[in-house]
Amino acid sequence: MKSKYYITTPIYYVNDVPHIGHAYTTLACDVIARFKRLDEYEVFFLTGTDEHGQKVETAAKNNGVNPKKFVDKVSENFKNLLNCMNFSNDSFIRTTEKKHIKSCQKIWEKLLSNGNIYLDKYSGWYAVRDEAFFSESEIVDGKAPSGAPVEWVEEPSYFFNLSKWEKKLLEFYESNKEFISPKSRRNEVISFVKSGLKDLSISRTSFSWGVKVPNDKNHIMYVWLDALTNYLSACEYSNEKNNEFFKKFWPADIHMVGKDIIRFHAVYWPAFLMAADLPLPKKVFAHGWWTNEGNKISKSLGNVIDPFQLVNKYGIDQIRYFLLREVPFGNDGDFSNSQLINRINSDLANSYGNLFQRVVSMIFKNCNEKIPLKPNNFNKEDITLINSIKNNLNDYRSLIDEQKFDQYLKSIWIVISNANKYVDEQAPWALKKNNFERMEVVLFTLVETIRQISILLLPFIPDTAEKILDHIKIPHDQRKLKSVGFILNGNIKISLPKPLFPRI
Ligand code: MSP
């Protein structure tokens, strides 16, 4: 039986158009999901939109439309981003869907019947931009720690008894060292929890755009309880008739989030789940933030990076590669056009693209338009090159499981560079005259290396890797991680290649 793998992105607020930050989080998940499928897991890859709350309600008002109409329109932009970036999600959840609303009410009732919810009154600060409550001591110069403006809120509210879960959370972090990654985030969360947790307000009465609290029509659920529950709704938590899907996929293997929302995922969410007697996700990974040419990205600065424009200008795989290669995942990174162009020209065009181009052209021109038959007289250099990926598959698996995308790519580019060196050293064009048989072995070795590299690159640059595998006629059922280990048979008719990555 196949192992299952459930991976989620945060669900995106539909107050605005998608930007590079949204594309980044989903891209990381897409690469993991594609890798796991390549490794024959049964994958459920979820993304979606967060459509309730004051922030979205205000955005709708500012646009002069009712919230439902507004969210229907804006969530379409997020769906378009999926196509634009070639994302392979299996499902798209919207928090205005019936099944999600049912899930929220179900978890609420469970929390209530377990004695974890009580009615009281909230008075304190609220930042609409963060959709978060802050106590007086957290306010910095009249603002939320993120810099978001705050407003004073005083209203009746249901509370979740978060303080009761402090010890259990700390025990859980202690026995599940990987739960919060990377390590720096883990320390940050642990010290936050150790500093003492206060009960959390989980309902609002001063506006109405949200999920109704069961049996109390004056309250709607706090948008974060609503939003986090999407991870359950999408895998059929509220489906009373058939809970096979839920049983199979829950708990999630990984929730991918940005560093700004780690607290919601690594503190509130596991506490809600424990309190509702549900199993906890295995990992929450918080990645860093992008700046634009050194500046914080913000609408007011007018420097928001539009992923649609980028892809149009540079190409999908070029952007996918750059975002994951440029910055160690987990760190903050700076987006710079010159760096992007450098990466495209040097790594993609001059290294990988050129390797493919020169090897396949030489085969086309010198071997009667056919990849030579698999030889049986490889020498030491040939074998070293052929084995460099094949013998290290478990390392690649670990790098994906540790979200070390840049290292994965670096390691493949070492093989690409070795293959280019091997071309220069073996000089097949010279062998053509005096040792034709050896030339065939060299070209075979190279095309076999290209095959392995391209399979390993399928998760990152799927269009190009598929194009290469199509070009050398690798059948679709042999584009799996396990097929890296079989060596090509050869004797395959090919055509003259076109450049894969135009230089910029
Ligand atoms: N709706 C909540 C998530 C609820 S999940 C149950 C939310 N949405 S968001 O649209 O504001 O942000 C979604 C993701 O985009 C976050 O993970 C955030 O970190 C990421 N990014 C937003 N700006 C970013 C950058 N400049 N750089 C990288 N990622 C950034 O939060």
Side-chain angles (χ1 to χ4, degrees):
M1 209 180 66
K2 280 187 169 185
S3 307
K4 72 90 191 176
Y5 195 84
Y6 179 21
I7 179 165
T8 69
T9 74
I11 48 171
Y12 301 105
Y13 285 128
V14 287
N15 61 318
D16 208 350
V17 289
H19 61 66
I20 196 74
H22 306 126
Y24 186 54
T25 318
T26 312
L27 171 61
C29 294
D30 186 61
V31 166
I32 300 174
R34 285 176 183 270
F35 184 92
K36 291 289 174 186
R37 290 190 201 108
L38 201 67
D39 207 10
E40 300 190 283
Y41 282 73
E42 188 174 351
V43 173
F44 184 52
F45 167 20
L46 174 70
T47 185
T49 41
D50 191 351
E51 306 190 355
H52 289 132
Q54 221 172 330
K55 172 147 106 172
V56 173
E57 192 187 66
T58 309
K61 257 194 209 130
N62 293 343
N63 279 272
V65 275
N66 75 42
K68 180 69 175 85
K69 226 181 178 159
F70 181 72
V71 298
D72 284 347
K73 183 160 164 267
V74 183
S75 68
E76 276 309 302
N77 299 336
F78 282 88
K79 284 194 176 155
N80 295 339
L81 180 67
L82 304 171
N83 270 333
C84 159
M85 294 282 298
N86 204 357
F87 292 150
S88 65
N89 58 300
D90 298 293
S91 184
F92 189 96
I93 181 108
R94 298 182 53 192
T95 55
T96 45
E97 277 173 56
K98 259 205 194 104
K99 87 170 173 194
H100 172 71
I101 292 169
K102 228 172 119 189
S103 274
C104 290
Q105 292 172 336
K106 181 171 168 178
I107 196 169
W108 181 282
E109 276 168 348
K110 186 75 188 166
L111 293 172
L112 188 69
S113 67
N114 281 359
N116 296 304
I117 292 181
Y118 61 91
L119 184 61
D120 200 342
K121 194 177 134 202
Y122 177 78
S123 55
W125 297 102
Y126 192 79
V128 176
R129 200 169 85 195
D130 298 341
E131 294 284 20
F133 300 94
F134 295 100
S135 62
E136 193 64 53
S137 62
E138 289 173 289
I139 299 297
V140 189
D141 298 332
K143 293 200 163 139
S146 65
V150 288
E151 58 189 37
W152 185 257
V153 172
E154 253 184 62
E155 60 190 23
S157 174
Y158 284 95
F159 281 80
F160 170 69
N161 61 359
L162 183 63
S163 55
K164 181 184 140 189
W165 299 94
E166 196 175 305
K167 198 162 155 263
K168 289 228 165 59
L169 283 169
L170 291 170
E171 280 164 10
F172 177 72
Y173 304 146
E174 187 50 36
S175 45
N176 296 275
K177 295 260 179 342
E178 298 294 301
F179 176 67
I180 306 166
S181 293
K183 237 205 196 107
S184 53
R185 299 290 162 211
R186 175 182 153 79
N187 298 338
E188 174 191 313
V189 170
I190 291 178
S191 59
F192 170 72
V193 174
K194 278 190 177 156
S195 73
L197 295 175
K198 284 195 285 300
D199 289 353
L200 181 71
S201 164
I202 51 164
S203 76
R204 304 287 314 267
T205 51
S206 46
F207 65 98
S208 60
W209 184 236
V211 178
K212 288 203 167 52
V213 165
N215 304 318
D216 192 339
K217 59 179 179 356
N218 295 325
H219 291 252
I220 56 157
M221 284 184 204
Y222 171 40
V223 67
W224 270 100
L225 173 56
D226 164 348
L228 288 160
T229 303
N230 92 86
Y231 303 133
L232 300 174
S233 323
C235 67
E236 305 297 327
Y237 171 60
S238 63
N239 187 339
E240 308 293 348
K241 285 194 203 105
N242 183 358
N243 64 0
E244 286 311 303
F245 196 86
F246 185 70
K247 278 208 296 220
K248 178 172 191 177
F249 283 100
W250 189 258
D253 291 84
I254 183 168
H255 293 311
M256 184 66 74
V257 299
K259 62 178 183 180
D260 52 320
I261 55 174
I262 183 79
R263 192 178 290 182
F264 301 96
H265 284 82
V267 181
Y268 302 168
W269 184 227
F272 293 150
L273 290 167
M274 284 189 218
D277 301 322
L278 286 164
L280 270 49
K282 296 189 189 132
K283 186 175 195 174
V284 176
F285 189 102
H287 65 69
W289 269 45
W290 285 92
T291 48
N292 185 356
E293 312 276 355
N295 299 311
K296 186 173 183 239
I297 298 178
S298 90
K299 230 167 56 173
S300 53
L301 288 175
N303 64 352
V304 174
I305 303 172
D306 175 357
F308 296 97
Q309 272 178 16
L310 271 187
V311 164
N312 237 332
K313 188 161 173 196
Y314 296 106
I316 300 180
D317 284 348
Q318 285 84 338
I319 299 302
R320 290 176 61 111
Y321 174 78
F322 172 76
L323 291 176
L324 293 179
R325 171 64 184 81
E326 189 62 11
V327 178
F329 200 64
N331 294 5
D332 290 336
D334 185 42
F335 189 94
S336 121
N337 268 291
S338 62
Q339 271 307 95
L340 168 62
I341 293 171
N342 270 346
R343 286 264 172 231
I344 294 176
N345 286 344
S346 77
D347 299 7
L348 296 178
N350 295 350
S351 300
Y352 184 40
N354 189 40
L355 175 69
F356 170 73
Q357 185 75 20
R358 70 210 282 221
V359 168
V360 177
S361 308
M362 275 189 279
I363 293 178
F364 182 85
K365 288 181 192 143
N366 302 317
C367 307
N368 203 15
E369 302 175 16
K370 266 185 180 171
I371 297 174
L373 201 61
K374 176 169 150 189
N376 52 15
N377 49 349
F378 293 114
N379 72 16
K380 221 174 89 212
E381 282 85 29
D382 310 335
I383 290 174
T384 307
L385 190 60
I386 287 180
N387 284 350
S388 45
I389 286 193
K390 183 163 130 335
N391 286 358
N392 296 310
L393 288 185
N394 280 337
D395 294 346
Y396 289 107
R397 288 190 175 98
S398 305
L399 290 171
I400 292 291
D401 285 337
E402 292 160 18
Q403 289 72 48
K404 294 186 173 151
F405 307 118
D406 64 316
Q407 289 189 31
Y408 182 109
L409 291 170
K410 255 186 226 164
S411 149
I412 291 194
W413 256 261
I414 291 175
V415 181
I416 293 175
S417 149
N418 289 342
N420 273 318
K421 264 188 229 140
Y422 171 94
V423 181
D424 299 336
E425 284 161 10
Q426 301 291 330
W429 49 89
L431 292 170
K432 187 183 163 190
K433 294 179 207 118
N434 48 31
N435 192 345
F436 195 84
E437 197 189 340
R438 176 68 197 148
M439 178 200 77
E440 287 187 321
V441 178
V442 167
L443 291 176
F444 181 94
T445 300
L446 284 161
V447 90
E448 164 60 13
T449 307
I450 291 173
R451 180 189 71 90
Q452 294 184 28
I453 291 170
S454 303
I455 291 178
L456 269 279
L457 286 180
L458 278 167
F460 288 83
I461 48 171
D463 276 355
T464 312
E466 292 282 2
K467 226 190 253 172
I468 293 181
L469 294 168
D470 287 346
H471 201 101
I472 59 174
K473 307 229 174 91
I474 304 301
H476 281 273
D477 61 351
Q478 288 174 28
R479 298 181 189 186
K480 295 275 169 210
L481 205 62
K482 70 169 185 225
S483 3
V484 170
F486 318 142
I487 290 193
L488 200 70
N489 281 319
N491 197 26
I492 299 164
K493 180 115 175 99
I494 50 158
S495 55
L496 202 59
K498 290 195 193 77
L500 295 170
F501 303 103
R503 279 189 191 80
I504 296 170

